[in-house]
Amino acid sequence: MASTPPSHGQPHRTPPQQHGHVIPRHPRLDPLADRYAARTHGMKTSEIRALFSVVSRPEVVSLAGGMPAVTALPLDAVGSMIGELVSGMGAQTLQYGSGQGDPRLRERICDVMALEGITDASPSEVVVTVGSQQGLDLVTRVFCDPGDVILAEGPSYVGALGVFQAAEARVRHVPMDDDGLIPEALEQALIECRANGDRVKFLYTVPNYHNPGGVTLSEPRRQAIVDIADRYDLLVIEDNPYGLLGFDREPMRALRARDAQRVIYLGSFSKTFSPGLRVGWVLAPLAVREKLVLATEAQVLCPPSLTQYAVARYLDTQPWREQIKLFTELYRERRDATLESLDALMPPGTTWTRPDGGFYVWLKLPNGLDSKLMQPRAVNAHVAYVPGIGFYADGSGREYMRLSYCYPEPDQIREGVRRLARVIEAELDLHSTFDAVDTGTFRAVGRPTHTAETIVGPANSDRIED
Amino acid sequence: MASTPPSHGQPHRTPPQQHGHVIPRHPRLDPLADRYAARTHGMKTSEIRALFSVVSRPEVVSLAGGMPAVTALPLDAVGSMIGELVSGMGAQTLQYGSGQGDPRLRERICDVMALEGITDASPSEVVVTVGSQQGLDLVTRVFCDPGDVILAEGPSYVGALGVFQAAEARVRHVPMDDDGLIPEALEQALIECRANGDRVKFLYTVPNYHNPGGVTLSEPRRQAIVDIADRYDLLVIEDNPYGLLGFDREPMRALRARDAQRVIYLGSFSKTFSPGLRVGWVLAPLAVREKLVLATEAQVLCPPSLTQYAVARYLDTQPWREQIKLFTELYRERRDATLESLDALMPPGTTWTRPDGGFYVWLKLPNGLDSKLMQPRAVNAHVAYVPGIGFYADGSGREYMRLSYCYPEPDQIREGVRRLARVIEAELDLHSTFDAVDTGTFRAVGRPTHTAETIVGPANSDRIED
Ligand SMILES: Cc1ncc(COP(=O)(O)O)c(C=O)c1O
Ligand SMILES: Cc1ncc(COP(=O)(O)O)c(C=O)c1O
């Protein structure tokens, strides 16, 4: 998820004053309040953006954001490469391009996907997008009417929940465990949806180094899920920004490599090269590809030409595989610092996932502590995380938090975990006099929706400032 | 509108063959055909995209595309500027940024808007978008539910019609003439919509150097339209990519400069700097601004950082006002070549607008000729234009065509007009034996919907290949 600097104005904190008169602050005083589309009423600032002003303070160790370590790139080489693209090919790089994206880049994208076993993709089936975020938005717009149901892991990527909410789709979470999405739970959800007459449009899943779960779908489960998709005629959206960022092993075989008709694949260069270029893609069967191109033309005309040429040239001329290796070594060190500190410092009853790739650890608080309520105290202690509720569409997840190790240095991570452990201990002291410590093991992580497997409307459906 | 190279595959021409088996070509054979959202069924390739394969053939003079003359930029200077941005500021330019857009760029955008009399805009009211196309899409998503009515000039920008169609809004065209949108017709439309109980969400208007009309809203009409908006509590979307590209005069005062609460302003650097960077913006009251930020975060997370830094640095360090002057001189020459050739060569009964800025001439064929039917003969004669029907949501406009003079050199333009004149004459020869030549003056241009002022559904609502 994007970790971004605080926006210029702080609309919900500072009284918005402009040109000498006070702008209405409360939605009831927004003169256009009765004019918005239905979808607009459900929109709310994400748990992550709400943290921006906090995490940018230098004294705070932020384990909240998901910013890649872009300074590990060879900036001089990339700079002169991009400069030359403009000087030498300005007529192309500064001009409008194809809505589907640059053909050369689409070829190179097929090479990248081959690393995950997708060897039958054709450039004509690829649509270049403004980050994979736009890819998911396009797919959702093409398939989902208001009220349609989307199955997604619980927890799920917060940016995906935002897309689904904007489409007025309903999300039904399917539990995960250490091995990723649980196939039996998926099948159960499908059966119940059929019984209810719900139109399930697709399963949205992040099989590798899940955000925020940190877990990876095991090999046998991959086949099981593809089999279920086949049996239930289910479309699967495979969102895979982290697949090449494994610490210990070769990339796993994508779901799309097992089923080219039912799986729509989303890829991104945000984590393997640069998020600031906003280059991602969708791989989809031709009929769907055509709809996606029409949808992206209506949305942005075409993706930026310069950034597409930059990525294609980077893949053509720079040692990008070695660079990914360098990134993963750096992230592995940070993961190690995180897990070692958690092992050493966390009070009993706290559990967490042990990622072997990607950016995130998913942590469960002991004794039913509430990560959202605890947040102000953590910020006071100069450590930030993202509360678990941001990753559920149904308001659950209060006992969880996401810790990102991608951006801070190992020493900062250790200090951040130390501060966090103290905050949790202090909370426990407050509660221990009357509650017993929860001794749940990690297998419980990711199953919080077991007791609440109802389908819920868009995430965070409260109005702003309500 | 984007003129883009032919996409890799030609999905509607070449039988799409892949990996040895034939991919279903007809939508009825698309296995997912029953799964798409309602909005998806109305999507169709635009008249402009349908021309790509044609206009890229070197023997064809294309008066079809709307590509700016980017090679008139100082490419070396821009190249080294961008290269240095990456080498020196990679931690920012290659990283995620704010969803609202870079604060420094938003400040410079306010300086640019001041040239059109918008002196009270604050950077906090600006949202940077992926071209102004995304700005229009965001505004439409924030305001429009399916079935809502949007008022728009007849003809209207084809990309806007695509956005409105994707939102399942209904478009009601309001006639234009030489002085732009006709205020009395706007008022009439509002009265009729009220009587019908239609929810009019906004007026979409391009006041300067209209695409495709080539006309500009006169000074008195600007005030009249703002007054009507006030009287009828009407929101106005002012889309203004060409405002600084006038040939003979200072920029006119924007509608937004007259009404900061009812006018949402869309701007773009596509025509004043580079479309390949895809940097545009929306200026909106704070409450709307906040909705737009939430919508763009769900759509793309944030706009590309590199391209935003590139524009901000360009405005900070390069002589951008002089560059705009250079662009307008170049376009003026091309406009002159177009109008001189049209005056000299077009058969009687043909009429056209006389733009004093921007990229386009809107031409009316004599004798009720049909520009869409004539198109294959024009292409055979090696000249391309965009048929008028692409610019109406209701299928009207067959007697019109758009000619763009922005991209070809003056000599090519003269040759193109010569070929076009011959094609029209040949058509007339075919028809003249039984029809009288239409002697309508230009005042008739832009009033074609007078006889068909019903509200119609999304443009081009036929299915692909139907
Ligand atoms: C699971 C997941 N999907 C998609 C994205 C969006 O990535 P992009 O920068 O390509 O839009 C992210 C970013 O954090 C992510 O974690
Ligand atoms: C009237 C109008 N609005 C918007 C656009 C889209 O411009 P951008 O490149 O900023 O998305 C165009 C492009 O041709 C246009 O003519």
Side-chain angles (χ1 to χ4, degrees), chain A residues 360-408:
Chain A
Y360 310 104
V361 166
W362 184 239
L363 182 143
K364 184 171 192 244
L365 290 170
N367 204 24
L369 294 190
D370 182 321
S371 69
K372 177 76 178 166
L373 291 180
M374 197 175 84
Q375 197 176 22
R377 285 182 281 271
V379 169
N380 268 347
H382 296 167
V383 60
Y385 55 80
V386 184
I389 51 168
F391 305 97
Y392 289 90
D394 56 6
S396 62
R398 296 198 152 257
E399 64 275 42
Y400 295 94
M401 65 174 65
R402 188 189 77 178
L403 302 179
S404 311
Y405 51 78
C406 46
Y407 197 68

Side-chain angles (χ1 to χ4, degrees), chain A residues 4 18-19 35 37-40 49 68 94-95 97 103 120 124 141-142 145 233 274 276 278 297-298 300 305, chain B residues 4 8 18-19 35 37-40 49 68 94-95 97 120 124 133 141-142 145 233 274 276 278 297 300 305:
Chain A
T4 70
Q18 294 269 331
H19 319 305
R35 243 158 301 161
R39 71 176 72 81
T40 305
R49 182 148 72 97
L94 299 182
Q95 190 56 275
D120 63 345
S124 68
R141 283 177 99 169
V142 161
D145 288 307
D233 194 15
S274 153
R278 312 299 303 121
E297 286 175 345
V300 298
S305 301
Chain B
T4 69
H8 211 67
Q18 293 272 333
H19 321 305
R35 228 87 41 121
R39 69 177 71 83
T40 305
R49 181 146 74 99
L94 299 181
Q95 188 57 274
D120 63 345
S124 67
Q133 183 76 21
R141 284 177 99 173
V142 160
D145 288 307
D233 194 15
S274 153
R278 310 299 304 116
E297 286 175 345
V300 298
S305 302

Side-chain angles (χ1 to χ4, degrees), chain A residues 419-437:
Chain A
R419 293 175 188 171
L420 182 62
R422 270 192 229 121
V423 173
I424 298 176
E425 274 161 4
E427 291 285 292
L428 281 176
D429 282 350
L430 272 175
H431 290 66
S432 58
T433 42
F434 39 91
D435 284 345
V437 171

